[in-house]
Amino acid sequence: MAVNLVKHKDELLSAWKEVVDDKVETNWALFGYDKQSYDLCVVGKGAGGLGELTEELNCGKIMYAFCKVQDPSASLSKFVLINWQGEGAPLVKKGCCANHLMDISNFFRGAHITVTARNEDDVEPSLILEKLSKCTVSSFSLRERSDPTESARPIEEEKKRIEEEKLKAEAARSYLAEQVKERELKEAQAREEWFKERSLFY
């Protein structure tokens, strides 16, 4: 089952934009599945950093977090996507959600690193900072901070164009088939008339 990023899209993007906006204090947003569905929704957000975020992670659930961390070595903000797979989460749920990370990382763009975590030790601030220090990219462009759905528009437009071309081609084939059928019918009628005329002389 694919993850649904459409149902709560506005809320998801709003929370993500708060994190990437330098003018807003929010530095983390937490996302999870709405009840028993695969509809991704906003679980919470805050300005207390990784320490505050860790307190909101549920060991029995699959969750995702997008957070802003200050890189002391570069004096710049870096962004982390956390793929939280709680140790107590149902195995069936883990299996179904295994393929969701790619779609989610494409939706919440701009993360310098992605961290898969199963317990609080995996999201220890010092560990995250250590991984970030090894990250060679110190910033990401304003384009990456734009609406993630914008990048999908050209693809959707291309799909629409291809579909329209298919419909036109199908219509052309149908028209050609009708023309051939009509011509064959006329030829058959002409042959029948010719045979009738010949039969009058014999």
Side-chain angles (χ1 to χ4, degrees), residues 59-72:
C59 64
K61 294 184 177 181
I62 304 294
M63 309 176 85
Y64 307 89
F66 193 89
C67 49
K68 176 166 54 182
V69 179
Q70 195 70 25
D71 183 358

Side-chain angles (χ1 to χ4, degrees), residues 113-183:
I113 61 172
T114 298
V115 176
T116 297
R118 295 177 176 80
N119 54 57
E120 293 184 2
D121 291 339
D122 294 333
V123 289
E124 181 67 31
S126 59
L127 181 63
I128 300 294
L129 287 172
E130 181 182 350
K131 291 183 178 181
L132 279 173
S133 66
K134 298 176 182 178
C135 177
T136 57
V137 182
S138 59
S139 64
F140 69 102
S141 67
L142 291 174
R143 178 180 176 81
E144 288 178 298
R145 299 193 190 198
S146 62
D147 189 335
T149 57
E150 290 180 358
S151 62
R153 286 171 189 163
I155 298 175
E156 292 301 322
E157 290 173 0
E158 180 64 14
K159 287 182 179 179
K160 184 178 180 181
R161 186 190 66 78
I162 293 174
E163 188 62 31
E164 289 175 350
E165 290 295 331
K166 286 182 179 179
L167 291 174
K168 288 180 181 179
E170 184 63 32
R173 283 194 294 269
S174 297
Y175 176 76
L176 182 60
E178 287 294 327
Q179 291 294 309
V180 171
K181 184 177 180 181
E182 185 177 344
R183 187 178 71 246

Side-chain angles (χ1 to χ4, degrees), residues 18-38:
E18 283 188 39
V19 177
V20 300
D21 190 345
D22 295 329
K23 298 178 182 179
V24 180
E25 292 185 355
T26 302
N27 54 25
W28 64 266
L30 183 62
F31 312 96
Y33 297 100
D34 190 3
K35 298 178 182 178
Q36 299 302 314
S37 71
Y38 291 99

Side-chain angles (χ1 to χ4, degrees), residues 1-6 33 38-40 64 96 99-101 103-104:
M1 181 70 71
V3 60
N4 183 356
L5 298 168
V6 176
Y33 297 100
Y38 291 99
D39 305 333
L40 200 69
Y64 307 89
C96 292
N99 297 322
H100 293 178
L101 182 59
D103 291 331
I104 291 172

